[in-house]
């Protein structure tokens, strides 16, 4: 539970524009947050339709760990931002359900299928511990840099996710989710460069954040184009999802 003292310490001496939800850069970021919610909705819809989880396994685990910390552990001086964190958390619960319900049957590595649930649990717990200790050691205000590190891992994982799911009938692949994720992160990237710059004046530069955000955008764009082209090929009848399922790897129902 966030205390008044924690919030006062967080905002002490900080340029008030950093935490003003009506600053132009924060408005852009808030629009990005809305795009993220829409991306989740599209991924969930596709997941129910295909009986599959719509994000890479490691991305779901790390993302859920970060959202738990942002929603219930790390203080946030802006109620609107805290509301977005909790909306993401509760929406992400459905994606975690998809992972636990359908995930084991989608694994093609026998060892991963056998130890699927311990792998998910350990990855989530270790991810949460790592993110929280990074937040503490580096004074990562609102855990924003940690969020973008998770985002970069997610973006890179999506490329491998695409190649894997392309050979499983395209299960869980969503074109609108890919584009909304890209636009959502672009908006929050613009916002966080200003928020972190104003709220953490002791930083000598934002070069690492520049690198991470540019990398995310480029990889997100690549993934969105790949998924869009694949969907267009399916629509034109050049390839069908069933033709792309490898018959030598039958889908197994989770125990």
């Amino acid at each position: 539970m966030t205390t008044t003292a924690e919030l006062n310490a967080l905002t002490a001496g900080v340029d008030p524009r950093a935490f003003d939800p009506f600053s132009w850069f924060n408005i852009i970021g808030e629009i990005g947050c809305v795009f993220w919610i829409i991306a989740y909705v599209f991924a969930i819809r596709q997941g129910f339709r295909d009986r599959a989880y719509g994000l890479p396994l490691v991305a779901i685990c790390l993302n859920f760990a970060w959202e738990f910390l942002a929603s219930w552990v790390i203080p946030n001086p802006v109620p609107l931002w805290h509301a977005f964190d909790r909306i993401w958390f509760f929406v992400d619960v459905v994606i975690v359900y998809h992972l636990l319900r359908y995930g084991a049957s989608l694994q093609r590595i026998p060892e991963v299928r056998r130890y699927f649930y311990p792998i998910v649990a350990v990855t989530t717990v270790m991810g949460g511990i790592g993110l929280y200790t990074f937040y503490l050691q580096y004074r990562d205000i609102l855990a924003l840099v940690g969020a973008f590190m998770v985002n970069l891992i997610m973006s890179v994982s999506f490329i491998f996710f695409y190649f894997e799911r392309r050979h499983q009938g395209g299960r869980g692949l969503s074109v609108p989710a890919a584009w909304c994720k890209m636009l959502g992160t672009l908006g929050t990237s613009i916002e966080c460069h200003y928020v972190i710059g104003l709220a953490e004046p002791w930083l000598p530069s934002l070069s690492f954040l520049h690198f991470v955000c540019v990398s995310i955008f480029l990889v997100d764009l690549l993934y969105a184009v790949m998924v869009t082209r694949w969907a267009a090929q399916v629509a034109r009848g050049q390839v069908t999802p069933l033709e792309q399922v490898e018959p030598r790897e039958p889908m197994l129902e989770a125990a």
Side-chain angles (χ1 to χ4, degrees):
M1 181 69 68
T2 300
T3 66
T4 302
E6 288 176 315
L7 292 178
N8 289 339
L10 182 66
T11 57
V14 173
D15 189 317
R17 293 174 298 169
F19 297 135
D20 179 3
F22 298 106
S23 295
W24 69 267
F25 48 85
N26 284 329
I27 292 174
I28 291 176
E30 287 148 11
I31 293 172
C33 291
V34 173
F35 271 109
W36 259 104
I37 294 172
I38 297 171
Y40 277 156
V41 171
F42 278 121
I44 289 171
R45 185 186 69 169
Q46 197 70 37
F48 278 119
R49 179 180 299 171
D50 296 344
R51 296 174 60 84
Y53 57 95
L55 279 72
L57 184 155
V58 68
I60 295 175
C61 296
L62 295 179
N63 206 38
F64 190 68
W66 184 89
E67 287 165 355
F68 174 82
L69 293 173
S71 296
W72 312 108
V73 178
I74 296 172
N76 192 318
V78 184
L80 177 61
W81 298 354
H82 211 187
F84 274 124
D85 292 336
R86 292 187 173 180
I87 291 171
W88 290 339
F89 174 81
F90 287 114
V91 173
D92 209 25
V93 167
V94 183
I95 296 177
V96 172
Y97 164 76
H98 285 169
L99 177 66
L100 299 177
R101 174 65 180 85
Y102 307 121
S105 66
L106 291 167
Q107 307 307 312
R108 297 198 293 172
I109 300 174
E111 292 81 3
V112 175
R113 187 183 302 125
R114 183 177 305 120
Y115 301 108
F116 179 76
Y117 298 107
I119 288 171
V120 170
V122 170
T123 303
T124 304
V125 172
M126 294 300 293
I129 294 172
L131 287 166
Y132 188 62
T133 53
F134 181 87
Y135 159 78
L136 292 176
Q137 179 168 332
Y138 293 101
R139 299 175 65 188
D140 179 20
I141 192 165
L142 305 185
L144 294 177
V145 176
F148 281 100
M149 292 192 298
V150 169
N151 205 326
L152 180 57
I153 293 171
M154 180 187 300
S155 297
V156 174
S157 299
F158 263 121
I159 303 299
F160 299 95
F161 183 75
Y162 163 77
F163 287 119
E164 177 72 12
R165 292 301 179 82
R166 187 182 62 176
H167 295 288
Q168 294 181 334
R171 296 175 69 178
L173 296 180
S174 170
V175 173
W179 288 102
C180 286
K181 191 270 188 194
M182 184 194 76
L183 293 173
T185 303
L186 178 61
T188 54
S189 295
I190 294 171
E191 174 188 32
C192 287
H193 274 79
Y194 287 92
V195 171
I196 293 175
L198 292 171
E200 302 183 33
W202 61 83
L203 293 175
S205 79
L206 297 178
S207 54
F208 179 72
L209 187 63
H210 297 332
F211 162 75
V212 171
C213 291
V214 171
S215 299
I216 292 171
F217 177 76
L218 294 176
V219 179
D220 280 353
L221 180 61
L222 174 62
Y223 173 70
V225 170
M226 290 167 63
V227 175
T228 302
R229 290 182 61 184
W230 178 83
Q233 290 176 336
V234 172
R236 291 194 299 265
Q238 295 175 334
V239 63
T240 64
L242 290 178
E243 290 174 347
Q244 292 194 346
V245 177
E246 297 181 358
R248 61 184 177 84
E249 294 288 347
M251 300 305 299
L252 300 177
E253 286 297 325

